[in-house]
Amino acid sequence: GAVVSQHPSWVICKSGTSVKIECRSLDFQATTMFWYRQFPKQSLMLMATSNEGSKATYEQGVEKDKFLINHASLTLSTLTVTSAHPEDSSFYICSARDLARSYNEQFFGPGTRLTVL
Amino acid sequence: AQKITQTQPGMFVQEKEAVTLDCTYDTSDQSYGLFWYKQPSSGEMIFLIYQGSYDEQNATEGRYSLNFQKARKSANLVISASQLGDSAMYFCAMREGYGNKLVFGAGTILRVKS
């Protein structure tokens, strides 16, 4: 199937710093990518839909100034957690759709575990 | 109201036996899609099976089948001949209409015993 990568796979940072997470579609072009957040033993919650060349669409309750999303190319979307705090510690997962391969399936990245000290 | 309900927080199954993981959904759309994903302890999300609302036959993918009961709004996952490697968290998800978004249920932790 289509491959989505994330970098880094884990990151530890100090409170107040910003962290950038990359999501790449390796063998397909993704006009739309999705960012999810998952707390331990909980479900995935959609944070935002990232559209190439336009502004991201954020879900209700997600601070757009806190979680900056950029989708500058058809293979790369980035999530920047600005001024991170311990409550931002979570597992962040991105996904993408390859409409040329499958209308239905979303291909997920391996996730990034963020720990804010 | 929750769109996807998974009522089983955890399940145990004996190796080589079949297991059913429950999922009910709530939508007023006529067109929607239902998905099952597996998440092992490594965290990756592995797509298992898809059922479209207009599909008349239950979806099957190898040892996975989806018991789709539209009138009851249920989309249970059946895993046949369980293997130790099936131990993981399982999520049911729904896409409404022709939109992009997936809504996930709370998940069911499955443990396969040898």
Side-chain angles (χ1 to χ4, degrees):
Chain A
V3 181
V4 176
S5 71
Q6 279 184 243
H7 178 80
S9 53
W10 59 270
V11 57
I12 302 172
C13 69
K14 292 183 178 180
S15 185
T17 60
S18 294
V19 174
K20 180 185 283 189
I21 302 169
E22 293 185 348
C23 176
R24 291 182 186 273
S25 56
L26 297 186
D27 55 356
F28 67 100
Q29 294 184 329
T31 55
T32 304
M33 291 183 172
F34 307 89
W35 286 96
Y36 296 85
R37 183 174 182 175
Q38 185 181 30
F39 290 108
K41 299 192 188 312
Q42 293 189 23
S43 186
L44 279 74
M45 297 299 295
L46 179 66
M47 299 174 66
T49 302
S50 170
N51 301 297
E52 187 267 337
S54 64
K55 291 182 179 180
T57 304
Y58 290 82
E59 294 299 300
Q60 193 172 13
V62 177
E63 300 175 59
K64 59 181 68 177
D65 294 332
K66 173 78 172 175
F67 299 99
L68 299 179
I69 291 173
N70 184 279
H71 195 154
S73 77
L74 286 172
T75 59
L76 174 65
S77 176
T78 60
L79 168 67
T80 301
V81 183
T82 62
S83 186
H85 291 285
E87 58 266 28
D88 299 323
S89 298
S90 189
F91 191 56
Y92 293 87
I93 310 176
C94 72
S95 71
R97 292 174 75 188
D98 179 6
L99 295 180
R101 191 191 308 252
S102 166
Y103 176 79
N104 298 308
E105 188 175 345
Q106 280 190 23
F107 300 95
F108 283 82
T112 297
R113 197 163 302 278
L114 170 63
T115 301
V116 184
L117 302 178
Chain B
Q2 285 198 342
K3 299 240 178 190
I4 295 285
T5 303
Q6 294 180 252
T7 57
Q8 306 152 314
M11 292 276 288
F12 281 98
V13 65
Q14 196 68 37
E15 195 178 7
K16 299 181 184 177
E17 291 185 352
V19 63
T20 298
L21 306 183
D22 295 341
C23 173
T24 57
Y25 59 92
D26 181 27
T27 181
S28 56
D29 284 357
Q30 296 300 308
S31 177
Y32 51 89
L34 297 158
F35 302 76
W36 277 93
Y37 285 88
K38 172 184 178 181
Q39 187 180 42
S41 57
S42 59
E44 61 186 306
M45 294 290 286
I46 302 169
F47 167 77
L48 297 178
I49 199 165
Y50 167 80
Q51 179 86 40
S53 58
Y54 294 121
D55 295 340
E56 295 185 350
Q57 295 204 341
N58 288 341
T60 60
E61 290 285 349
R63 293 187 299 111
Y64 305 107
S65 60
L66 198 151
N67 185 359
F68 182 45
Q69 298 190 38
K70 196 169 183 177
R72 294 185 179 183
K73 293 188 175 179
S74 75
N76 299 338
L77 176 70
V78 180
I79 305 175
S80 62
S82 297
Q83 302 171 357
L84 295 177
D86 293 334
S87 294
M89 176 76 91
Y90 288 81
F91 289 102
C92 179
M94 177 174 66
R95 187 194 68 235
E96 290 185 288
Y98 296 100
N100 288 318
K101 298 195 300 186
L102 285 181
V103 177
F104 286 83
T108 297
I109 299 175
L110 177 67
R111 291 285 178 254
V112 181
K113 300 183 292 184
S114 59

